[in-house]
Amino acid sequence: MLVMGGIIGSGIFVTPAEVARHVQSPFLIVGVWMLGGLIALAAAFVYAELAARRPEVGGQYAYLRDAYGPMPAFLYGWSLLLVIQSGGMAAVAITFARYFDELVHLGVSDSAVAVATLGMLTLVNCFGVRSGSNVQSGLMVLKILGIATLVLIGWLVSPAAGFDGSAGAPSVSSLSSAAAIGAAMTPVMFSYGGWQTASFVAGEMKNPKRDLGLGLLLGVLGVIILYTSVAAVCVHGLGPSGLAGSKTPATDVMRLAFGTKGATFIAICVTISTLGFLSQGMLTAPRVYFAMAEDGLFFRRIGTVSQRSRVPVAAIILQGMAATVIALSGTFGQILSYVVSVDFLFFGLTGAALFLFRRRSPIQVANFSVPGHPFTTGFFVIACWAVVAATVINNPLNSLIGYGILVLGVPACLYWQHKNRKPTTS
């Protein structure tokens, strides 16, 4: 549930249209989701072995630290707080607020609802891991049921029945097929991203060597099935040109099937899905900041654990505050490109870390080994950096924003290293 909850947010309800604007044929529209699924599955294999080798609090942060040292690990945590996790959560919180208002018509501003939602989930997760995980699991079950219903009902809609989106469709990219597929992979991989967040809580699992690896594999496989099914249903119901011209493809499919009732159903699904994503992020990401503080690379207060709830309350509150500030500032509108360009840079580095760990410990020490290593691991690393290159080429300005924030982390890391350096005695 943590793995699937970290991946499935609101993206799958809208990104099939983004993909259709780059690739035109139904085969390619569904095919890029399958290709993205293969990359995510390779990632699950890699992260499962890393989790078995290093079942520590902080997950990906710990892998980067042990492989490359404190600076790359700090820059990952820095980016997670200021770009990847908090920005994504702010955007999703606003999405939740908009759909929630369509359902209840309270007349409250989107920002106010987003802030209240982030505050509520911050509070829930401060009560403890079980409290947060129970909420997350319940929302994930409802989310899966909603997407499964969309898929089943979507097949009942006659192909492109009553829907003509071609008139309002943006012009499909005239780039070469390879370039078009590369551009389409940015929204696909943005939607698939998030498998790594379950590793953040490895140190709080009873048997992480077994449970985290199995959870990663089953969770990613489940998401691949759901995502490719939704993409296929959207192409089936709207047609390639209609899908490219749709702003809310899942809503349009359900409206074709059941009119306004179908659109209302999807609004409910989106609110549940976004709430589940926010709950998962609030549960998992603060463990990275906790691990940074324990290493002396962040505020010491963030590295403390509540005696009552046994969770890093200060780190959880920091995550909630960071997402809240971004939600109020409204600066998250074009987050997709710079999140992907930064996030997948670190994914590639994490995959490459497995080669280093294998070289240092050639004897098998983990309960899980990546099948087909080094080829599957190499495929994952190359695919991650290919996604980064495609994103930078297609969205250079937004990518530079992400890398600018990343570079600002270098002096911040040097400051904390200097501040917490232990004096030497002769």
Side-chain angles (χ1 to χ4, degrees), residues 321-379:
M321 290 175 61
T324 298
V325 168
I326 298 176
L328 288 173
S329 67
T331 59
F332 55 85
Q334 296 178 312
I335 193 171
L336 184 148
S337 297
Y338 66 83
V339 165
V340 170
S341 61
V342 174
D343 209 7
F344 276 78
L345 175 68
F346 285 109
F347 285 153
L349 285 172
T350 306
L354 183 57
F355 289 100
L356 295 178
F357 293 145
R358 287 255 187 146
R359 180 177 295 179
R360 295 172 188 173
S361 302
I363 300 175
Q364 182 57 39
V365 296
N367 291 352
F368 178 87
S369 296
V370 176
H373 180 87
F375 302 105
T376 47
T377 306
F379 164 73

Side-chain angles (χ1 to χ4, degrees), residues 245-296:
S246 173
K247 293 182 178 179
T248 53
T251 300
D252 290 331
V253 169
M254 291 299 291
R255 185 177 285 113
L256 286 174
F258 292 116
T260 55
K261 291 183 178 179
T264 300
F265 172 80
I266 280 297
I268 294 173
C269 289
V270 172
T271 56
I272 292 172
S273 184
T274 51
L275 199 62
F277 175 86
L278 293 171
S279 174
Q280 198 271 4
M282 203 68 74
L283 174 66
T284 57
R287 274 63 183 175
V288 173
Y289 321 135
F290 171 85
M292 291 167 64
E294 280 200 321
D295 290 344

Side-chain angles (χ1 to χ4, degrees), residues 422-426:
K422 296 180 180 179
T424 58
T425 58
S426 56

Side-chain angles (χ1 to χ4, degrees), residues 18-300:
E18 293 291 331
V19 171
R21 291 170 190 142
H22 296 288
V23 290
Q24 304 178 42
S25 73
F27 174 79
L28 286 178
I29 292 172
V30 178
V32 293
W33 287 97
M34 297 182 70
L35 176 59
L38 289 176
I39 296 173
L41 186 60
F45 288 140
V46 171
Y47 277 71
E49 178 168 339
L50 289 172
R53 286 176 173 270
R54 281 169 168 73
E56 305 168 14
V57 172
Q60 186 169 343
Y61 167 83
Y63 311 151
L64 291 168
R65 178 197 62 206
D66 294 348
Y68 307 111
M71 178 66 79
F74 174 86
L75 291 177
Y76 170 70
W78 173 269
S79 301
L80 194 73
L81 178 62
L82 298 181
V83 178
I84 300 168
Q85 190 70 30
S86 299
M89 289 177 68
V92 171
I94 292 294
T95 302
F96 167 82
R98 290 172 179 170
Y99 278 92
F100 183 76
D101 184 63
E102 287 186 12
L103 292 173
V104 299
H105 303 290
L106 289 177
V108 181
S109 69
D110 292 342
S111 296
V113 175
V115 169
T117 303
L118 290 168
M120 177 192 69
L121 292 174
T122 300
L123 182 63
V124 167
N125 282 282
C126 284
F127 287 136
V129 173
R130 185 171 297 277
S131 171
S133 62
N134 286 343
V135 171
Q136 163 61 25
S137 295
L139 291 171
M140 192 61 228
V141 169
L142 294 174
K143 187 189 302 189
I144 292 172
L145 290 175
I147 295 176
T149 302
L150 166 66
V151 171
L152 292 174
I153 293 176
W155 286 115
L156 301 178
V157 178
S158 300
F163 186 85
D164 182 14
S166 58
S171 58
V172 179
S173 174
S174 59
L175 299 174
S176 66
S177 296
I181 292 172
M185 288 301 293
T186 295
V188 167
M189 296 316 301
F190 180 82
S191 298
Y192 270 115
W195 62 76
Q196 79 285 358
T197 55
S199 69
F200 297 162
V201 295
E204 294 162 88
M205 295 180 177
K206 291 182 178 179
N207 191 348
K209 290 186 176 182
R210 180 198 66 191
D211 296 340
L212 184 53
L214 185 61
L216 279 164
L217 296 176
L218 294 178
V220 169
L221 283 172
V223 172
I224 292 172
I225 294 171
L226 290 176
Y227 275 13
T228 53
S229 298
V230 170
V233 160
C234 289
V235 174
H236 169 79
L238 305 179
S241 62
L243 178 57
S246 173
K247 293 182 178 179
T248 53
T251 300
D252 290 331
V253 169
M254 291 299 291
R255 185 177 285 113
L256 286 174
F258 292 116
T260 55
K261 291 183 178 179
T264 300
F265 172 80
I266 280 297
I268 294 173
C269 289
V270 172
T271 56
I272 292 172
S273 184
T274 51
L275 199 62
F277 175 86
L278 293 171
S279 174
Q280 198 271 4
M282 203 68 74
L283 174 66
T284 57
R287 274 63 183 175
V288 173
Y289 321 135
F290 171 85
M292 291 167 64
E294 280 200 321
D295 290 344
L297 296 177
F298 211 39
F299 301 106
R300 294 188 183 277

